Amino acid sequence: MSYDLTIEPIGQTIAIEDGQTILDAALRAGIYLPHACCHGLCATCKLKVADGQVDHGEASSFALMDFEREEGLCLACCARAESDIVIEAEIEEDPDARNLPVRDFAGTVTRIERLTPTIKGVWVTLDDPDGMDFQAGQYVTLELPDGIGARAFSVASAPSDPREIEFNIRIVPGGRGTTYVHETMREGDRVRITGPYGRFFVKKSADVPVILMAGGSGLSSPRSMILDLLSDGFDKPITLIYGQRTREELYYHLEFLELAQKHLNFTYVPVLSHEPPGSDWRGVRGFVHEAAKAHFGNDFRGHKAYLCGPPLMIDAAITTLMQGRLFERDIYTEKFISAADAQQVRSPLFKAI
């Protein structure tokens, strides 16, 4: 059974299946609704039901209070239609968004490599010969067995090869999903992925220099973006500032050095925070935000910055960028967060996080 879901102010009506959330129905129709945690905790996807009835599902009573429910509000990531419904949502217009519909894909794990002591590269070849159309910087969910469920991972490969999708997955102590990937997943395993998701992509239409700041396995999206920009002939300066603790953890280092040699508009600044003093490392030591401040002389005007990495790194990077006269409209971070992250306090400097 299905119902009609009408989305205002665009006036578009789509089908929503029985048991399907409003968010999932919209995304699969190529209509982007603001969202973040997808667990009913962060309230990013809150919208108004102007007509019809919904089941609020597992929406948190803190993210969606009783009086808000009575006023017709719901969380799109949890709400399911119980009749034909009309919703009023904030539809973001972005000239760089392709608004690709979310789809389900089956595939085979064709390669697994140890990139660092804590990060594995996983390559999945999709059954669909056309692969998955996506924008560099987006992410997918990977369905894992044994009751683990779906986990979100950024795509590390370039959109130019849509059939072979690469993930860089860091093991999280106590995390069932990443532990399964590191200890149990094998080449030849059959998997399912769903995507693409997210609004994290380069604003190419701005036609300004790009700064990418990454730490840890947060390199995935920036790598995809860099490969895409360079193959697309983007001619403005592109600077990657990438931080790890030690040289052993610095992956794709040689690839970026080679890209910097080949492309005059690409600059690569690796930085290590805990490299032993006596090692032969001759590069930058310290943290990503410190390296960025030194490299740009504390002046980031005229750029757009894209940040990926641990929350502390992102907060420090935002502070540095804003002190260097780059402001919120030109700073972007990945939007997908876990159920645990959704309950954490975000940076007071940056309301969009």
Side-chain angles (χ1 to χ4, degrees), residues 297-324:
N298 197 32
D299 186 352
F300 303 101
R301 289 175 297 176
H303 292 78
K304 285 192 177 292
Y306 302 85
L307 316 181
C308 305
L312 287 176
M313 186 220 88
I314 288 178
D315 282 349
I318 291 168
T319 302
T320 297
L321 289 168
M322 296 182 81
Q323 288 174 345

Side-chain angles (χ1 to χ4, degrees), residues 113-324:
E113 289 185 11
R114 179 182 181 272
L115 300 177
T116 79
T118 59
I119 299 173
K120 280 194 173 181
V122 177
W123 285 260
V124 175
T125 299
L126 304 179
D127 294 350
D128 188 330
D130 294 327
M132 180 183 70
D133 195 6
F134 68 97
Q135 289 185 259
Q138 290 190 297
Y139 69 96
V140 303
T141 59
L142 175 65
E143 190 71 30
L144 298 174
D146 302 332
I148 296 173
R151 296 293 187 270
F153 298 110
S154 297
V155 179
S157 48
S160 57
D161 187 358
R163 193 176 180 197
E164 185 177 61
I165 306 299
E166 178 187 349
F167 308 108
N168 301 157
I169 301 174
R170 180 177 66 88
I171 189 167
V172 177
R176 291 184 65 200
T178 59
T179 298
Y180 177 87
V181 170
H182 276 251
E183 298 182 0
T184 307
M185 182 176 281
R186 297 290 182 269
E187 294 178 1
D189 285 357
R190 296 286 294 167
V191 294
R192 296 188 66 83
I193 69 173
T194 301
Y197 292 105
R199 301 285 269 195
F200 187 65
F201 41 76
V202 174
K203 310 298 181 179
K204 294 181 181 179
S205 64
D207 200 31
V208 297
V210 170
I211 303 171
L212 302 113
M213 301 168 69
S217 58
L219 184 62
S220 299
S221 290
R223 178 175 182 260
S224 180
M225 290 170 161
I226 291 164
L227 294 176
D228 181 53
L229 287 170
L230 294 177
S231 67
D232 198 37
F234 186 80
D235 60 359
K236 295 294 186 293
I238 304 167
T239 304
L240 169 64
I241 302 174
Y242 174 50
Q244 278 284 20
R245 290 173 56 86
T246 65
R247 175 65 185 85
E248 186 182 25
E249 297 172 316
L250 196 65
Y251 71 105
Y252 284 129
H253 178 61
L254 295 180
E255 176 184 79
F256 288 125
L257 289 175
E258 291 173 0
L259 287 173
Q261 287 282 340
K262 183 178 179 181
H263 299 274
L264 296 178
N265 64 321
F266 175 58
T267 301
Y268 170 49
V269 183
V271 52
L272 303 180
S273 61
H274 292 76
E275 179 70 3
S279 76
D280 60 357
W281 176 251
R282 295 294 179 264
V284 180
R285 294 174 183 262
F287 296 96
V288 168
H289 66 285
E290 296 169 337
K293 182 176 181 179
H295 183 79
F296 286 95
N298 197 32
D299 186 352
F300 303 101
R301 289 175 297 176
H303 292 78
K304 285 192 177 292
Y306 302 85
L307 316 181
C308 305
L312 287 176
M313 186 220 88
I314 288 178
D315 282 349
I318 291 168
T319 302
T320 297
L321 289 168
M322 296 182 81
Q323 288 174 345

